[in-house]
């Protein structure tokens, strides 16, 4: 078993001059400033007063889950001789918030739309999704159920 380290640099940008002297006196904004990578400007969930134009932790978690699933799907499809020409996903996560402000994800549904090369077997492609939870870092790390509802198209022969 190999161990890996993953790092990020999170920099709070919401100090309006008085720090956290009062609860309403600071912004819930920060940057992900990992060296050598583009900066990602972030904010709190809009339900909690965050900027709806910026990524929030919940957005980033569902995006990471979807991306990990996609990368494994592409890998396993390639290994199986299934040619994927296009893959798009619009995952849906369901969360709950308690009166205390505590929240959590209850479930997520990945909804990829996948275009396969002519002659591809959509049923064989669909079988791959069930194996991804065994290998995807993110899916193996979350404590809520993740399902998928994939749709397929096969590009017509030219």
């Amino acid at each position: 078993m190999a161990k890996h380290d993953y790092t990020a640099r999170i920099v709070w940008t919401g100090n309006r001059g008085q720090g956290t002297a009062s609860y309403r006196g600071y912004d819930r904004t920060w940057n992900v400033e990992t060296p050598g990578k583009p900066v990602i400007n972030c904010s709190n969930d809009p339900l909690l007063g965050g900027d709806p134009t910026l990524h929030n932790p919940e957005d980033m978690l569902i995006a990471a889950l979807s991306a990990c699933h996609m990368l494994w799907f592409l890998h396993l499809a390639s290994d199986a001789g299934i040619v994927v020409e296009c893959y798009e996903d619009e995952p849906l996560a369901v969360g709950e918030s308690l009166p205390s402000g505590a929240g959590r994800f209850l479930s997520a549904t990945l909804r990829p739309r996948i275009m396969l090369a002519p002659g591809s077997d959509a049923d064989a492609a669909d079988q791959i999704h069930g194996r991804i939870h065994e290998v995807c870092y993110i899916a193996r790390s979350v404590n809520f159920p993740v399902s998928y509802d994939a749709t397929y198209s096969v590009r017509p022969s030219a």
Side-chain angles (χ1 to χ4, degrees):
M1 176 182 298
K3 296 214 175 189
H4 307 280
D5 292 334
Y6 296 92
T7 64
R9 182 166 184 249
I10 306 301
V11 179
W12 176 49
T13 60
N15 185 348
R16 295 184 199 154
Q18 299 295 314
T20 59
S22 73
Y23 182 74
R24 302 246 182 251
Y26 62 95
D27 290 332
R28 278 69 173 168
T29 58
W30 73 93
N31 290 337
V32 178
E33 297 181 358
T34 306
K37 298 179 182 180
V39 172
I40 303 171
N41 305 110
C42 301
S43 183
N44 202 14
D45 184 317
L47 294 173
L48 301 171
D51 183 338
T53 67
L54 299 177
H55 294 287
N56 61 56
E58 296 80 9
D59 293 337
M60 295 185 345
L61 178 61
I62 191 65
L65 179 63
S66 175
C68 187
H69 186 94
M70 176 193 68
L71 292 169
W72 272 106
F73 181 85
L74 298 173
H75 173 94
L76 296 172
S78 179
D79 284 353
I82 298 168
V83 178
V84 177
E85 294 186 345
C86 182
Y87 186 112
E88 297 179 7
D89 191 9
E90 293 183 29
L92 174 65
V94 177
E96 71 176 358
S97 297
L98 301 177
S100 67
R104 67 181 180 142
F105 282 108
L106 298 174
S107 65
T109 303
L110 306 178
R111 304 179 299 177
R113 290 183 313 277
I114 301 165
M115 181 183 290
L116 304 173
S120 295
D121 182 348
D123 289 332
D126 198 55
Q127 296 300 311
I128 292 171
H129 292 286
R131 298 179 15 222
I132 294 173
H133 237 65
E134 299 168 12
V135 291
C136 169
Y137 253 74
I138 309 301
R140 289 173 44 87
S141 300
V142 299
N143 68 352
F144 52 86
V146 178
S147 60
Y148 73 93
D149 182 17
T151 58
Y152 301 89
S153 60
V154 177
R155 184 176 53 80
S157 301

